[in-house]
Amino acid sequence: MSKVYDVIVIGGGPAGLSAALYAGRARLNTLVLEKKKEGGQIALTSEVENYPGCLEGESGPSLIERMHKQVLHFGADFVYDEIESVVLEGSIKQLKGKKDVYKAKTIIVATGASSRPIGCENEKEFIGKGVSYCATCDGSFFEDFDIYVVGGGDTAVEEAMFLTKFGRNVTIIHRRDELRAAKSIQDKAFKNPKLKFMWDSTVKEVRGDGLLSSMVIENTKTGEQTVVEADEEDMTFGLFGFIGYLPKTEIFKDILTLDKGYIVTDENMKTNIDGVFAAGDVRVKSLRQVVTATADGAIAAVQAEKYIESLD
């Protein structure tokens, strides 16, 4: 592709679409590159309640569909391709995909991060149907239900305590016989009357007919397996995995500054390379939600516009 865009956005999730929207409205020639389908992690969410102004009964896919149409309205191009390598130094950046080569004055990286899977059988089938990786997004759906949390680090324990606001009981399932979370966090957890612990345990399999209704737990020391069933009246329960995230930054290794795999930016989404910005879950940040992703995208696009103006 010989055309040189003003802005290329890598990733079609909320951050990428927000960036493309702002860039398009600024009359910048904008291209969104997406590997498969727009949406990112939010596309797996069956109901969205915490995005300001979302419609009643809003789902992740429906929200993304409206965002996508809005971006198209302002003239952004969309191409489905997987980027394999990048050249980011210099005034014109170059992205090499499986299908073509793309060039732009600025790049906004919005490739996102995916939750590290629990690793149990049938897990993918129940994402959004009992299995979740976001307490803030989905905790309220399990009001007065039993909730189980997989993990033992700071995030897992903190999210488990948050989930006690909703669940009848919250049980932490941990593969060891002690938590890895900071001592101060552990002290709070052990004092919480709604928080229980299942030590030396892993989830081997999840089951159900449409909704999660049972799971197989294996003891890591004895190998003994037990089946946990949903309450007869509830018919389901929540299973949350908090064992880390996997930022999608492989192609930027040794090019952009990373911290534990996440792209380091300043408050204006600028990376260590001029003209290259990052937005959303892929960057170092304290809260990964749709609302913060869209804000990142807007900031990145405005800063990209200012950068382009400085080139003239």
Side-chain angles (χ1 to χ4, degrees):
M1 182 178 288
S2 59
K3 180 176 181 178
V4 177
Y5 283 90
D6 291 320
V7 180
I8 289 182
V9 181
I10 311 176
L17 293 176
S18 177
L21 169 63
Y22 272 73
R25 289 188 74 244
R27 300 297 188 268
L28 299 176
N29 289 322
T30 305
L31 170 66
V32 179
L33 289 170
E34 172 57 47
K35 180 179 177 181
K36 292 182 179 179
K37 184 177 177 61
E38 295 83 23
Q41 291 191 76
I42 193 66
L44 302 175
T45 303
S46 59
E47 190 170 354
V48 178
E49 289 186 326
N50 59 353
Y51 186 71
C54 64
L55 303 175
E56 184 177 352
E58 184 86 271
S59 69
S62 68
L63 179 62
I64 289 298
E65 182 181 2
R66 288 191 288 115
M67 285 184 177
H68 185 203
K69 289 180 179 178
Q70 198 173 9
V71 173
L72 289 173
H73 176 71
F74 287 104
D77 293 334
F78 278 78
V79 170
Y80 296 95
D81 197 356
E82 181 176 358
I83 302 304
E84 297 182 316
S85 63
V86 298
V87 178
L88 302 180
E89 296 288 355
S91 59
I92 301 299
K93 323 297 183 185
Q94 183 171 289
L95 310 177
K96 184 179 183 299
K98 287 186 174 180
K99 300 177 181 178
D100 208 341
V101 175
Y102 310 90
K103 299 177 182 179
K105 298 175 184 177
T106 63
I107 301 294
I108 298 175
V109 181
T111 48
S114 57
S115 297
R116 191 181 297 275
I118 295 168
C120 56
E121 190 175 342
N122 302 326
E123 182 173 356
K124 287 186 178 179
E125 296 177 26
F126 292 97
I127 295 174
K129 301 174 182 178
V131 173
S132 175
Y133 310 96
C134 179
T136 310
C137 310
D138 299 331
S140 62
F141 299 138
F142 297 97
E143 187 94 38
D144 295 326
F145 284 71
D146 288 327
I147 296 175
Y148 297 85
V149 171
V150 178
D154 290 358
T155 300
V157 179
E158 288 176 334
E159 297 294 353
M161 286 191 286
F162 172 78
L163 287 167
T164 60
K165 297 179 180 180
F166 306 103
R168 181 169 56 233
N169 293 294
V170 177
T171 302
I172 291 179
I173 303 172
H174 188 41
R175 62 169 50 250
R176 300 180 178 86
D177 57 6
E178 61 180 7
L179 299 173
R180 293 182 292 106
K183 187 66 165 57
S184 58
I185 297 174
Q186 291 190 45
D187 289 342
K188 292 180 183 178
F190 292 137
K191 290 177 183 177
N192 192 315
K194 293 180 70 176
L195 205 53
K196 300 178 180 179
F197 300 88
M198 192 177 291
W199 304 111
D200 300 318
S201 299
T202 59
V203 181
K204 299 299 291 183
E205 182 183 356
V206 287
R207 303 168 177 169
D209 184 11
L211 286 177
L212 176 65
S213 60
S214 69
M215 61 182 171
V216 177
I217 304 294
E218 181 175 279
N219 186 286
T220 57
K221 292 183 176 177
T222 66
E224 181 183 357
Q225 294 189 345
T226 56
V227 177
V228 174
E229 301 277 358
D231 182 274
E232 289 185 4
E233 292 186 5
D234 297 340
M235 302 296 290
T236 189
F237 56 84
L239 177 63
F240 288 78
F242 298 112
I243 53 178
Y245 288 88
L246 300 171
K248 299 175 182 177
T249 55
E250 295 85 357
I251 60 174
F252 304 108
K253 186 179 179 182
D254 301 324
I255 300 174
L256 297 179
T257 300
L258 304 180
D259 180 3
K260 297 180 181 177
Y262 293 95
I263 299 173
V264 177
T265 72
D266 65 9
E267 63 181 5
N268 288 318
M269 310 301 138
K270 296 179 181 179
T271 69
N272 59 297
I273 296 180
D274 289 342
V276 180
F277 307 86
D281 289 358
V282 74
R283 76 179 190 94
V284 176
K285 59 192 300 184
S286 62
L287 181 64
R288 292 183 170 85
Q289 293 283 283
V290 180
V291 68
T292 61
T294 55
D296 285 358
I299 293 169
V302 171
Q303 291 300 318
E305 181 184 10
K306 290 181 178 180
Y307 173 79
I308 291 170
E309 290 174 351
S310 74
L311 298 177
D312 299 332

